[in-house]
DNA sequence: CGCAGCGA
DNA sequence: TCGCTGCGG
């Protein structure tokens, strides 16, 4: 999570502004867990806690995903959600540390809510851990009612998502970090806000363009990422930021050469080549089905309105717009023609 | 996050 | 019609 390629992308003038209208008829892939986190981090009630239904069950993620997906459908854009599988052993240590940190923040977050310190609650809640099986299952249920395909990744969702784009089954990944590009997704879209905001425009980055402008091979991009630090070698190398890392890869051609010449020292248990392989050929599956459906209006009202206390007026309005957008763009066969 | 309701 | 703010559950 969070390979720091932003500085270089900016330096080389990469990324083109993209208007959401331009994505009409296209399919985008998202990392489901990241999306749930993002919604929980930003959608809060007046006390800084999440939105909840009358039984106290969290609904922020449902509100966020429902609004977003209805809006996307109204624009004629379809999504695929990819869920993480069990983490690779090599990633366990980072995840464990991240988990402990997030649990600490979660405790502090609940405390702040109780004390009525709203600002602090909102801040802490962005860093806390709260994705439970219940939240995941609720999300899957909503997605299936909306006719949005769900893909189960064998391990890393981002890697599976990149594979889906590579195979031509989607146009791009929408993401907040650069990992998908290193995983070989031909296109990624960043800073994605559906509402047109001239200050925060969506940017499309094309892998081939990235490699061409930086004059790197895919392998060298991966080596560059490893220099900057990945989930498999967190932190990267002390004193080596984006600019230095790039210079070093251009000069030495590969991570191996850098190590051979003693320019840097490898401090992790795992071998560099193992990490390289995980980005080059990550464990993914082609046993996934992408079938888009039409939102099940009755089922959604039952789920959101009756079970989770959504306003029927809002839900119906959203759905009407979504259905109108889908009608305009047609069925799946038509969607694929837009590539 | 995305929307609705409001005032300029 | 636009930009801002606060609400949604």
């Amino acid at each position: 999570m969070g390979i720091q390629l932003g500085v270089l992308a900016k330096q080389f003038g990469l990324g083109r502004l993209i208007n959401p209208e331009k994505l009409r008829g296209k399919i985008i892939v998202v990392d489901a867990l990241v999306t749930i986190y993002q919604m929980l981090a930003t959608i809060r009630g007046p006390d800084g806690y999440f939105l909840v239904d009358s039984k106290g069950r969290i609904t922020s993620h449902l509100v966020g995903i429902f609004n977003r997906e209805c809006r996307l459908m109204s624009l004629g854009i379809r999504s695929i959600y990819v869920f993480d599988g069990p983490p690779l052993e090599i990633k366990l240590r980072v995840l464990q540390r991240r988990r402990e940190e997030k649990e600490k923040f979660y405790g502090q977050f609940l405390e702040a809510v109780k004390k009525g310190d709203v600002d602090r609650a909102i801040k802490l809640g962005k860093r806390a851990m709260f994705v439970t099986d219940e939240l995941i299952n609720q999300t899957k249920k909503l997605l299936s009612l909306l006719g949005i395909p769900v893909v189960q990744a064998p391990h890393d969702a981002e890697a599976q998502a990149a594979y889906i784009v590579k195979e031509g089954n989607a146009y791009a990944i929408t993401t907040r970090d650069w990992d998908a590009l290193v995983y070989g997704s031909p296109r990624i879209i960043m800073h994605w806000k559906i509402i047109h905001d001239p200050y925060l425009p969506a940017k499309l980055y094309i892998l081939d363009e990235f490699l061409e402008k930086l004059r790197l091979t895919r392998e060298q991009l991966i080596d560059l990422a490893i220099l900057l630090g990945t989930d498999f070698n967190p932190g990267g190398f002390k004193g080596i930021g984006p600019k230095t890392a790039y210079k070093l890869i251009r000069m030495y051609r590969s991570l191996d050469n850098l190590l051979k010449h003693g320019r840097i020292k490898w401090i992790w248990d795992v071998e560099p080549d193992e990490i390289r392989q995980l980005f080059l050929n990550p464990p993914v599956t082609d046993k996934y089905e992408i079938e888009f459906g039409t939102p099940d209006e009755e089922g959604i009202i039952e789920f959101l309105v009756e079970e989770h206390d959504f306003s029927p007026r809002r839900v119906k309005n959203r759905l009407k717009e979504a259905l109108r957008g889908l009608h305009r763009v047609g069925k799946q066969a038509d969607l694929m023609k837009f590539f």
Side-chain angles (χ1 to χ4, degrees):
Chain A
M1 296 270 168
I3 297 163
Q4 291 175 44
L5 294 175
V7 174
L8 291 169
K10 199 168 176 191
Q11 187 185 325
F12 283 85
L14 287 158
R16 41 182 96 156
L17 300 180
I18 183 164
N19 188 322
E21 288 291 330
K22 282 264 154 61
L23 294 172
R24 183 179 301 283
K26 290 195 163 43
I27 300 166
I28 56 170
V29 200
V30 295
D31 182 325
L33 231 58
V34 169
T35 306
I36 296 173
Y37 260 111
Q38 195 185 306
M39 299 305 179
L40 292 170
T42 49
I43 303 174
R44 306 296 183 79
D47 55 355
Y49 191 67
F50 313 106
L51 298 181
V52 291
D53 63 20
S54 59
K55 287 181 180 143
R57 291 172 298 191
I58 296 169
T59 54
S60 292
H61 57 311
L62 300 177
V63 172
I65 291 172
F66 178 69
N67 283 338
R68 158 164 288 231
E69 291 308 323
C70 283
R71 174 77 177 138
L72 285 175
M73 285 191 240
S74 80
L75 289 167
I77 302 165
R78 304 241 41 178
S79 317
I80 300 169
Y81 277 65
V82 184
F83 285 81
D84 284 296
L88 291 165
E89 181 133 5
I90 176 176
K91 213 170 158 175
L92 279 178
R93 199 179 303 172
V94 199
L95 289 179
Q96 182 58 27
R97 226 210 15 228
R98 205 175 283 160
R99 196 194 170 91
E100 280 164 15
E101 210 171 73
K102 279 175 173 282
E103 268 165 6
K104 197 183 71 194
F105 281 122
Y106 186 65
Q108 294 174 6
F109 160 73
L110 291 179
E111 225 170 272
V113 172
K114 212 159 70 184
K115 280 191 194 149
D117 191 343
V118 178
D119 288 348
R120 200 171 129 77
I122 287 172
K123 256 188 218 142
L124 285 166
K126 288 188 200 296
R127 320 179 70 175
M129 141 89 96
F130 23 59
V131 173
T132 58
D133 283 350
E134 194 193 358
L135 297 181
I136 289 170
N137 290 333
Q138 284 176 334
T139 303
K140 284 182 176 168
K141 179 160 182 188
L142 175 63
L143 293 172
S144 110
L145 287 167
L146 284 166
I148 293 171
V150 162
V151 173
Q152 182 60 54
H155 301 291
D156 195 294
E158 206 90 342
Q160 181 69 34
Y163 181 71
I164 290 170
V165 179
K166 231 189 284 184
E167 292 289 285
N169 288 319
Y171 177 72
I173 301 181
T174 54
T175 177
R176 294 172 103 78
D177 60 49
W178 298 91
D179 294 30
L181 207 68
V182 182
Y183 273 123
S185 171
R187 292 170 217 86
I188 67 171
I189 295 172
M190 290 180 95
H191 313 130
W192 170 252
K193 279 206 168 189
I194 295 164
I195 297 175
H196 178 62
D197 181 344
Y199 299 101
L200 277 172
K203 273 198 167 184
L204 172 68
Y205 294 89
I206 296 167
L207 177 59
D208 283 344
E209 232 173 70
F210 210 98
L211 298 176
E212 208 173 296
K213 277 267 173 69
L214 272 73
R215 291 195 286 154
L216 296 174
T217 63
R218 262 258 290 145
E219 287 78 1
Q220 287 177 321
L221 176 65
I222 291 167
D223 281 2
L224 175 65
I226 297 172
L227 271 180
L228 293 172
T230 71
D231 277 351
F232 312 115
N233 65 315
F237 295 86
K238 233 179 238 160
I240 297 183
K243 295 196 177 194
T244 312
Y246 177 64
K247 237 181 272 166
L248 288 174
I249 290 294
R250 288 288 301 157
M251 260 165 66
Y252 288 79
R253 317 305 298 172
S254 74
L255 187 67
D256 284 344
N257 283 340
L258 276 159
L259 290 164
K260 223 183 294 168
H261 287 86
R263 183 62 184 74
I264 52 169
K265 210 173 159 210
W266 190 257
I267 55 167
W268 295 273
D269 297 337
V270 47
E271 290 300 311
D273 196 53
E274 196 182 334
I275 301 180
R276 205 173 291 125
Q277 284 310 315
L278 280 172
F279 280 111
L280 213 47
N281 293 303
V284 291
T285 178
D286 50 16
K287 289 199 182 74
Y288 60 86
E289 239 175 85
I290 294 167
E291 205 171 315
F292 296 101
T294 311
D296 166 5
E297 242 178 304
E298 261 178 53
I300 289 167
I301 286 169
E302 156 105 35
F303 181 55
L304 293 183
V305 177
E306 276 152 49
E307 204 173 323
H308 291 294
D309 309 303
F310 279 52
S311 140
R313 185 178 63 93
R314 280 167 198 268
V315 170
K316 282 176 191 160
N317 281 343
R318 288 293 88 74
L319 281 173
K320 209 162 70 188
E321 280 166 35
L323 289 165
R324 197 186 308 138
L326 288 186
H327 192 74
R328 271 185 71 185
V329 85
K331 292 250 190 310
Q332 184 178 1
D334 295 323
L335 278 166
M336 301 309 284
K337 276 192 295 195
F338 286 84
F339 280 87

